[in-house]
């Protein structure tokens, strides 16, 4: 079998089995797109998040979407998202915007963050570990992070 055919077979099998796994499960998603940063605004994240929202909703996900959100809005949405991940749910988290890594930890930058020095990051941004840890402790079997 040619290499690309074996890859295609694996992808089709993965798609088939993932579709079966999703068939009878709750689908919950949190989508965040931050574009309107005061310093270094971004062109696409808000539009990308809106597009992802539409596609996920078409696929049966209950989607909470934040566009150009503050730290408090992001933290509350993350908490609610994690609480919604029961054992029968599939979780999907999508973030588009600025991100930073400090001392091995990843942070998602909200709109309005005032980061002038590295130590500001911990207090002005949202720790991505909170999302990942919450998803891993949900015992729901399938989580997707984009």
């Amino acid at each position: 079998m040619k290499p690309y055919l074996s890859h295609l077979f694996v992808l089709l099998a993965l798609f088939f089995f993932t579709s079966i796994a999703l068939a009878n499960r709750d689908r919950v998603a949190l989508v965040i797109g931050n574009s309107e940063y005061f310093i270094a605004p971004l062109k696409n994240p808000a539009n990308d998040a809106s597009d992802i929202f539409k596609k996920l909703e078409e696929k049966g996900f209950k989607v909470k979407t934040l566009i150009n959100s503050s730290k408090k809005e992001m933290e509350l949405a993350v908490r609610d998202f994690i609480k919604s991940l029961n054992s029968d749910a599939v979780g999907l988290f999508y973030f588009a915007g600025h991100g930073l890594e400090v001392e091995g930890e990843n942070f998602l930058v909200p709109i309005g963050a005032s980061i002038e020095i590295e130590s500001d990051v911990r207090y002005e941004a949202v720790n991505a570990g909170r999302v990942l840890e919450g998803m891993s402790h949900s015992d729901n079997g399938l989580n997707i992070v984009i």
Side-chain angles (χ1 to χ4, degrees), residues 31-105:
V31 174
I32 302 173
N34 288 344
S35 292
E36 295 180 4
Y37 295 100
F38 181 69
I39 297 175
L42 299 170
K43 228 172 153 181
N44 296 320
N47 295 331
D48 294 346
S50 294
D51 291 343
I52 292 289
F53 162 77
K54 290 173 192 166
K55 283 296 179 191
L56 290 174
E57 203 169 51
E58 286 174 14
K59 298 296 180 188
F61 279 82
K62 287 191 306 186
V63 186
K64 167 79 174 182
T65 303
L66 299 177
I67 304 294
N68 296 317
S69 53
S70 69
K71 181 179 186 216
K72 189 66 170 174
E73 290 168 330
M74 288 173 63
E75 289 174 335
L76 291 172
V78 165
R79 185 189 65 205
D80 291 345
F81 170 65
I82 290 168
K83 285 173 37 180
S84 71
L85 295 176
N86 60 51
S87 61
D88 292 327
V90 171
L92 187 144
F93 177 77
Y94 175 90
F95 176 79
H98 285 302
L100 300 165
E101 181 185 346
V102 175
E103 296 179 7
E105 291 184 86

Side-chain angles (χ1 to χ4, degrees), residues 6-45:
S6 64
H7 293 299
L8 180 61
F9 177 75
V10 169
L11 287 173
L12 288 173
L14 180 62
F15 176 74
F16 176 74
F17 289 114
T18 302
S19 296
I20 291 172
L22 293 175
N24 295 320
R25 299 178 116 196
D26 292 337
R27 300 170 196 171
V28 182
L30 174 58
V31 174
I32 302 173
N34 288 344
S35 292
E36 295 180 4
Y37 295 100
F38 181 69
I39 297 175
L42 299 170
K43 228 172 153 181
N44 296 320

Side-chain angles (χ1 to χ4, degrees), residues 95 98-109 121-123 125-129:
F95 176 79
H98 285 302
L100 300 165
E101 181 185 346
V102 175
E103 296 179 7
E105 291 184 86
N106 293 300
F107 293 87
L108 312 174
V109 181
V121 173
R122 191 168 306 287
Y123 303 100
V126 175
N127 192 323

